[in-house]
């Protein structure tokens, strides 16, 4: 490649939305990055490993609630409904609902088109009578539902406490956007992780095997690979703690020493001990989540929890 072509290629690399977000976050005080960027291929694999860790209770607890309460959940879903899942990922949770309820159509919405297509194909082999209408979209932005479900009752499905990654004001905005999309009379089933003992919370985000640390540090590896940065992963440390006043787990990457890193041709200085805030995972009480949902027009219809009250599934109705 000529020098000019190389310069032009690098300029394009540095013009992507990812590059813009990384530069903006690392120029801010305190430094921060969007949690959605954890999920490149390797990051998605690491997240799958996290869900199987002994300390990471949310996935296993929510699956338990879905299985134990499948019959009650099915009664909440009108016959012939379309189930619309936001950020469907592996569809393991939807399968439990789809087996129990009289759902006519399943609409998984996910940003990863390839994963979405392969999961839809797998699901249609297992449930040949179910109409599957995948939508490849970023569910945090406006998108259209398939015309084929226009006349069907709509039930939204948003498990995993993914809503916890949003700031509370953004979470309320998302719930309003879901209300507009699903329309009058809609139902919504939302999974929410609950506030609990600090030690249980912190262990879930700082496991003994170091998988969550690898997941957090992988963000720097991704920035190195995709944006040509030179982060030395040995010189950053994973940190996770419960910020009680803000009722959220925070994950950070802490600089072990004073250092400079080159990111998109910019020098980014770090003081020793300075951190990049990489994720917030908000925890709610049953009541605080119901109050948030009410701000967006959703009324509580039912709540299901596990015996330890670690996790909750909320059935909501749009007035
Ligand atoms: C996918 C956002 C629900 O906050 O528990 C797991 C992501 N981060 N371990 C969570 C995550 C670190 C997860 N969510």
């Amino acid at each position: 490649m000529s020098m000019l072509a190389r310069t032009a290629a690098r300029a394009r690399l540095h013009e992507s939305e990812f590059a813009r977000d990384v530069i903006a976050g690392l120029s801010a005080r305190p430094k921060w990055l969007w949690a959605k960027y954890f999920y490149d291929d390797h990051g998605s694999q690491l997240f799958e490993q996290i869900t199987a860790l002994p300390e990471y209770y949310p996935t296993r607890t929510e699956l338990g609630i879905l299985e134990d309460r499948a019959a009650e959940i099915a009664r909440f879903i009108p016959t012939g409904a379309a189930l619309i899942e936001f950020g469907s990922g592996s569809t393991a949770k939807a399968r439990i609902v789809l087996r129990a309820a009289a759902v006519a159509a399943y609409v998984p919405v996910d940003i990863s088109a390839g994963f979405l297509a392969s999961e839809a194909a797998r699901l249609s082999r297992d449930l040949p009578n179910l109409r599957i209408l995948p939508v490849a979209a970023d569910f945090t932005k406006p998108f259209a539902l398939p015309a084929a479900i226009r006349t069907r009752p709509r039930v939204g499905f948003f498990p995993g406490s993914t809503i916890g990654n949003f700031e509370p004001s953004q979470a309320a905005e998302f719930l309003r956007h879901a209300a507009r999309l699903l329309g009058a009379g809609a139902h919504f089933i939302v999974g929410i992780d609950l506030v609990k003992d600090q030690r249980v919370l912190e262990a879930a985000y700082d496991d003994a095997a170091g998988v969550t640390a690898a997941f957090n540090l992988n963000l720097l590896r991704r920035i190195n690979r995709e944006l040509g940065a030179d982060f030395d992963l040995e010189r950053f440390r994973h940190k996770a703690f419960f910020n009680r006043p803000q009722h959220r787990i925070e994950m950070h990457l802490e600089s072990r020493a004073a250092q400079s890193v080159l990111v998109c041709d910019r020098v980014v200085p770090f003081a020793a001990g300075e951190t990049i805030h990489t994720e917030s995972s908000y925890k709610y009480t049953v009541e605080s989540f119901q109050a948030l949902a009410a701000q967006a027009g959703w009324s509580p219809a039912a709540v299901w929890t596990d015996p330890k009250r670690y996790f909750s599934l909320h059935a909501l109705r749009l007035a």
Side-chain angles (χ1 to χ4, degrees):
M1 227 195 290
S2 73
M3 175 113 128
L4 253 176
R6 209 155 47 228
T7 309
R10 199 165 57 226
R12 274 196 303 278
L13 191 72
H14 296 173
E15 277 163 14
S16 67
E17 189 173 3
F18 180 43
R20 279 198 305 274
D21 286 347
V22 167
I23 292 165
L26 295 181
S27 310
R29 293 288 171 285
K31 294 180 171 70
W32 72 285
L33 293 169
W34 286 104
K36 66 180 176 185
Y37 291 128
F38 283 135
Y39 301 92
D40 64 355
D41 286 343
H42 187 53
S44 301
Q45 279 172 24
L46 287 168
F47 180 68
E48 286 304 309
Q49 288 179 37
I50 286 173
T51 64
L53 289 169
E55 297 95 333
Y56 194 75
Y57 61 85
T59 308
R60 148 171 0 100
T61 308
E62 186 177 38
L63 284 167
I65 300 170
L66 284 165
E67 265 150 18
D68 293 348
R69 304 304 189 101
E72 284 168 66
I73 295 167
R75 254 177 270 133
F76 177 70
I77 298 176
T79 304
L83 187 76
I84 297 114
E85 180 169 9
F86 296 86
S88 53
S90 80
T91 70
K93 292 165 187 166
R95 278 166 187 266
I96 302 172
V97 177
L98 294 169
R99 260 186 261 116
V103 170
Y106 172 53
V107 183
V109 183
D110 204 281
I111 195 163
S112 165
F115 193 52
L116 186 67
S118 64
E119 279 298 311
R122 228 163 50 83
L123 190 62
S124 76
R125 275 195 298 277
D126 300 343
L127 296 170
N129 294 326
L130 180 68
R131 181 139 195 215
I132 305 171
L133 301 161
V135 175
D138 177 349
F139 66 78
T140 64
K141 295 180 179 158
F143 64 91
L145 290 174
I149 65 162
R150 209 170 28 221
T151 60
R152 303 217 163 263
R154 282 99 183 261
V155 182
F157 186 46
F158 194 31
S161 204
T162 308
I163 211 168
N165 270 173
F166 295 132
E167 295 298 312
S169 63
Q170 294 173 331
E173 194 186 314
F174 167 77
L175 290 165
R176 274 191 290 274
H177 149 72
R180 260 195 315 276
L181 180 78
L182 298 172
H187 296 58
F188 205 3
I189 300 169
V190 185
I192 296 292
D193 195 16
L194 298 174
V195 172
K196 62 183 63 61
D197 186 323
Q198 181 155 349
R199 285 162 302 186
V200 175
L201 280 170
E202 290 182 346
Y205 293 85
D206 195 7
D207 61 283
V211 183
T212 309
F215 173 73
N216 199 2
L217 285 159
N218 180 59
L219 184 51
L220 301 184
R221 184 178 295 123
R222 178 179 189 181
I223 294 170
N224 283 348
R225 190 184 59 245
E226 292 185 24
L227 304 179
D230 67 351
F231 278 104
D232 178 354
L233 272 59
E234 303 284 308
R235 301 181 81 191
F236 286 85
R237 178 192 351 252
H238 166 68
K239 255 180 91 170
F241 57 88
F242 186 51
N243 178 334
R244 188 169 290 281
Q246 306 229 65
H247 51 91
R248 66 187 193 202
I249 284 280
E250 292 184 17
M251 294 211 318
H252 293 255
L253 289 164
E254 183 185 70
S255 179
R256 294 178 189 265
Q259 57 181 317
S260 316
V261 179
L262 204 60
V263 185
C264 299
D265 292 339
R266 281 153 221 252
V267 176
V268 180
F270 286 88
E274 185 178 357
T275 74
I276 310 171
H277 183 180
T278 51
E279 183 173 41
S280 290
S281 187
Y282 279 85
K283 309 303 170 189
Y284 291 88
T285 62
V286 165
E287 296 72 26
S288 69
F289 180 70
Q290 287 178 338
L292 184 78
Q295 282 180 41
W298 294 98
S299 311
V303 188
W304 300 288
T305 65
D306 55 294
K308 289 180 171 162
R309 289 182 78 85
Y310 276 6
F311 202 92
S312 57
L313 263 183
H314 294 254
L316 306 170
R317 240 192 297 259
L318 203 54

